[in-house]
Structures are given as C-alpha cells and as structure tokens.
Amino acid sequence: MEESPPKHFREVVQRRLMRDVIEAAAGLSRGWMVMVIDDAALRVVSALVGMYDVMEHRVTLIELLSKERQPLPEMEVIYLVTPTLETINLILKDFADPKKPRYGAVHLFFLSKVNDTLMQRLGTAPNFLQRVRTFKEVNMNFLATEASAFHLDMPRCLPGLFSTRPDNAVLEEVAYKLVSLCVTLNEYPHVRFNQDSVLCARIATLVQDGLNDFVARQEDWWYHGQAGHTDRERATLLILDRAEDPLTPLIHEHTYQAMVQDLLQVDGDMITFQSEGKGGRHETKALLNDSDALWAEFRHQHIAKVMEQIGERTRDYIQANAGVEMTRKLGTDAKMSPQELALIVKQLPEYREMTGKLWMHYSITTDVMASFQHFGVLDLSELEQTLATGVDGDGRSVKEEKMLQR
C-alpha cells in the first residue's frame, strides 16, 4: 500500500529516522538488535519515536554509549551517534578485544558528516571495520520538537555568536546543522539574509557552501522545485539575528507553553507540578509533548483561553457521562468558572479519573496561575510592555524617570 504524504515537518523527520536508520538496519539483520546512542542522539530519537516504534523493527534495547553496558556478542548493534573523536573511541572500545566483542555485526549511523580525521581513526581498527555492515551519514543533528518547529540543540551558543569576535567553530556548527535540516527535508533553498549583519552574512555563506557541496556529492538526492519534484517551489531560508527583534526575549509571554516553561519545573518534556489528590496537594510529574493531543492543541494559546476551554470541556464531558446527582450539581449555568467546576469535581474523585488529561491540564494551569500570582508576574509584565512600547496600559506616554520609580 502506498504511504500517505506526511502531514507536517516533524512527521517528515520521524519517517526519515525510521526508514534510514531503524528499518535500514532491520532489513540487513536476521534477529533482535540493540541500539546504542550518545546524548545528542538520545534527544533526537526521544523527540520523534517511542520504544514501541523501534521494537516493531526488532530493536529490543536502547542504551547510552557513555554508560557501562552488558556484552551481547550474539546480537547486532545499531550505533546512532554524533561524529566526534570521543564517540568513535567509545565505539572502538566495545571491540578492543577481538576475542570478546561487546556486539556482533555493526550498523553505524552518524547524525552528520564524518570528517577525514575521524575516518582515519576508524581506519586504524581493521577488526572493527570487518564487522560493519552499514555505514551512513543520516543528516539529523537537530531536534524536531513540534509539528512545525525545530531547534539546533545548542543551549550555550550565544557567547560564541554575539561576542566581539564570534567563534568560527560555533558559526560552522550552526551552518552545518541548518544544512542537515535542509537535506533531511529535501530542500535546496534560496538563502536570504540581512546584508547589514556580518553574522548573518557569514552563516548564510557557510550554509550555501555546505548545500552546494552536498548537492555536488549526492547525485541521487532530489529537492523540492527540481524537475520531477514540482509539487512545490524551492524553499527560501531566511537568516536573521536577534538584532532584528531584541525585545521579545525580555518580555513575558502569556501563552500556555511559555508560562509552563517560565513558572514550573521543566526538564525536557517532563514537567513537575502540584495537583489535587487523596490527602491534598502533592507533586506530580507528566510528559508534555506531541503525544498529548491537548498539549499540542493548547500550548500556543493564551492561558486564560486554555483555562476556559478546559472548564467547558470538562463540564460537557461529565454531563454526557454523569448520573442524575452529578448533573444536578453541575446545573445549567454555562458560565460556571473552571474553579467552580473544580470544586464540584473534587467532591467526586471518580470523575477526575474519567476526565483524564483534562484534569491533568486543569491542575497544570492552576499551578501556573498560582506561581504567576506569587511572583507578581502580572505587574512585571505590565512594566515590560511599558518599557518596550513607551506607553502605559491607557496609551499614555510614560517618561523614563517614572518607569524607573516603579
């Protein structure tokens, strides 16, 4: 059966990971396999697939390259790693003793291009090379975090980009990751940038050179807009730096996702929040990612709208499933606030289970608003808006001296 077209950017990347890594290795293997990844690959994989997805292709175990691992010499191994000297040395260490290899046959995948120095290092281990059945650069060293959003997984890059002397290594890494993104999406874009920005011009040049080099080396690679692939025109890659909009990072945003990130304890996709349960409020952990349909729907909406919709949906769901007693408690007042609804639901704990994810997101939004009030973020947000616009909430101009007094 012909595969349906991907619905969004993240699905394109997800399919590429499954096809070019997991399914490619499975097609050459006869038994169960183990998958070994480094920290960067862990973030790439966890943003795209779950354990069940890879187990369907006979991957029975996923382990970190940096951790001590049990020898499984009867099983083939998939390595998905960043091309660095450290990762290659750790891989070769697994096969240092020819009589006691950690794994059997090897399927070796790199998230980006392997340079000549690293290739020479691999060439010093002939016993290892004899086991390699797959060697491939998959161009996937970025994180597809949402249906239409990605980031380059470079949390400490700002000093290297915006110091008085930008770090060439950081600029090159940004460019290589953008090339990797374009290649994965089958895009050979027109690269555009602000000519007044030296930083943008440098990155744009590196990206263009990287794309040209890839296209020249990969004759069988195609891109959108090319003859035979005219479903859409060539893309445009627009490179801007923070100087185009310096204020936005300094202003609190009141969308659901932004407030969760600002006010709650978040580690990757894992969130820690306070929720109601037996014995009162207690600490709860949950995953917030695209597998949670409500999170995907609500995350870019204003927090007030999210709370209103959660209340309305909880009420509608319970009314459609509740008995006479609960229907009487809810009454017919369509204007009941989420807080009033919660007081009723708390009296009947079984309905917290029935509403499932709705109750979880109600708990998260309640915790967000508690922190919002505790830290005085509303007053701070009003001051930020005044500093950014030069006018107060009534549209009157405000002098700098008055703002400093606040």
Side-chain angles (χ1 to χ4, degrees):
M1 188 170 76
E2 186 176 347
E3 190 176 41
S4 60
K7 298 181 180 122
H8 47 68
F9 151 77
R10 187 171 174 273
E11 188 173 328
V12 173
V13 183
Q14 184 182 53
R15 288 188 183 184
R16 187 63 61 88
L17 172 67
M18 293 301 298
R19 184 191 69 200
D20 292 357
V21 178
I22 310 298
E23 293 175 12
L28 296 173
S29 174
R30 293 183 296 274
W32 286 92
M33 300 177 291
V34 59
M35 186 172 185
V36 178
I37 54 183
D38 64 2
D39 291 336
L42 173 63
R43 293 189 291 274
V44 171
V45 172
S46 60
L48 296 170
V49 298
M51 188 63 195
Y52 179 78
D53 298 311
V54 296
M55 285 184 67
E56 283 190 319
H57 298 281
R58 293 182 278 110
V59 175
T60 185
L61 185 65
I62 299 180
E63 294 191 296
L64 276 174
L65 178 64
S66 57
K67 303 295 184 182
E68 186 60 36
R69 289 162 278 120
Q70 176 187 356
L72 297 167
E74 74 284 358
M75 296 181 67
E76 298 186 16
V77 59
I78 300 172
Y79 287 104
L80 178 63
V81 296
T82 312
T84 66
L85 185 58
E86 179 185 9
T87 57
I88 287 178
N89 284 338
L90 286 172
I91 291 171
L92 295 181
K93 183 180 177 182
D94 288 344
F95 301 89
D97 186 346
K99 296 180 180 179
K100 294 182 179 180
R102 193 179 295 273
Y103 307 107
V106 174
H107 304 275
L108 191 54
F109 298 90
F110 291 99
L111 291 175
S112 57
K113 183 180 177 181
V114 183
N115 63 36
D116 293 341
T117 300
L118 300 180
M119 290 295 292
Q120 290 172 4
R121 176 68 182 102
L122 286 169
T124 64
N127 290 332
F128 169 75
L129 293 178
Q130 290 175 3
R131 295 178 174 273
V132 176
R133 301 183 66 183
T134 307
F135 184 101
K136 191 171 184 179
E137 300 166 350
V138 294
N139 291 296
M140 207 170 287
N141 57 341
F142 56 89
L143 302 188
T145 52
E146 297 183 19
S148 301
F150 71 94
H151 69 78
L152 301 183
D153 197 20
M154 298 176 64
R156 291 176 288 277
C157 70
L158 286 180
L161 290 172
F162 294 104
S163 61
T164 52
R165 292 186 178 181
D167 186 334
N168 284 331
V170 174
L171 300 186
E172 290 172 0
E173 186 176 359
V174 169
Y176 292 158
K177 284 175 177 280
L178 288 174
V179 170
S180 175
L181 171 72
C182 293
V183 168
T184 297
L185 298 178
N186 289 102
E187 297 287 0
Y188 186 23
H190 303 286
V191 181
R192 302 287 183 262
F193 60 95
N194 183 346
Q195 64 179 359
D196 294 329
S197 169
V198 175
L199 177 64
C200 290
R202 175 62 177 150
I203 292 177
T205 300
L206 289 169
V207 170
Q208 188 68 71
D209 291 346
L211 286 168
N212 292 344
D213 178 64
F214 179 85
V215 172
R217 290 186 294 108
Q218 303 290 334
E219 295 181 359
D220 58 344
W221 183 77
W222 62 270
Y223 57 88
H224 294 286
Q226 184 183 36
H229 299 279
T230 55
D231 55 320
R232 63 173 182 265
E233 297 179 355
R234 282 179 67 180
T236 297
L237 176 62
L238 183 61
I239 298 178
L240 302 173
D241 69 20
R242 180 43 66 189
E244 299 291 333
D245 180 17
L247 292 177
T248 296
L250 306 177
I251 299 175
H252 280 83
E253 185 181 341
H254 296 161
T255 57
Y256 187 22
Q257 184 181 50
M259 293 189 72
V260 165
Q261 291 286 341
D262 284 344
L263 299 172
L264 300 186
Q265 184 180 338
V266 181
D267 182 10
D269 291 341
M270 182 69 70
I271 178 177
T272 303
F273 62 99
Q274 298 293 320
S275 65
E276 291 286 347
K278 293 181 180 179
R281 292 176 66 79
H282 62 279
E283 190 174 275
T284 304
K285 294 183 182 293
L287 282 175
L288 295 180
N289 52 34
D290 278 5
S291 63
D292 182 341
L294 287 178
W295 172 250
E297 177 185 354
F298 289 150
R299 60 188 166 197
H300 299 309
Q301 296 183 26
H302 193 280
I303 188 69
K305 186 177 180 181
V306 172
M307 296 186 72
E308 180 182 354
Q309 290 186 77
I310 289 174
E312 290 176 354
R313 293 190 193 186
T314 303
R315 176 191 175 87
D316 292 344
Y317 186 84
I318 293 177
Q319 282 187 326
N321 294 276
V324 175
E325 180 185 358
M326 193 61 175
T327 302
R328 178 181 56 79
K329 285 179 177 289
L330 288 171
T332 58
D333 183 8
K335 299 292 186 182
M336 184 180 294
S337 70
Q339 292 82 1
E340 292 169 326
L341 178 62
L343 289 174
I344 294 175
V345 176
K346 288 175 189 176
Q347 299 173 30
L348 297 171
E350 66 269 22
Y351 285 100
R352 295 206 296 269
E353 298 297 325
M354 182 185 293
T355 54
K357 288 287 186 180
L358 281 169
W359 183 258
M360 184 188 85
H361 284 285
Y362 169 79
S363 299
I364 294 173
T365 54
T366 300
D367 202 16
V368 163
M369 293 310 297
S371 297
F372 183 79
Q373 294 170 3
H374 175 75
F375 292 112
V377 179
L378 179 60
D379 291 337
L380 181 59
S381 298
E382 290 177 352
L383 178 59
E384 290 167 348
Q385 291 290 333
T386 301
L387 288 168
T389 63
V391 298
D392 61 19
D394 297 321
R396 297 186 297 242
S397 297
V398 180
K399 293 182 179 180
E400 292 181 10
E401 295 81 3
K402 186 177 180 180
M403 285 191 285
L404 290 172
Q405 290 173 2
R406 295 181 63 182

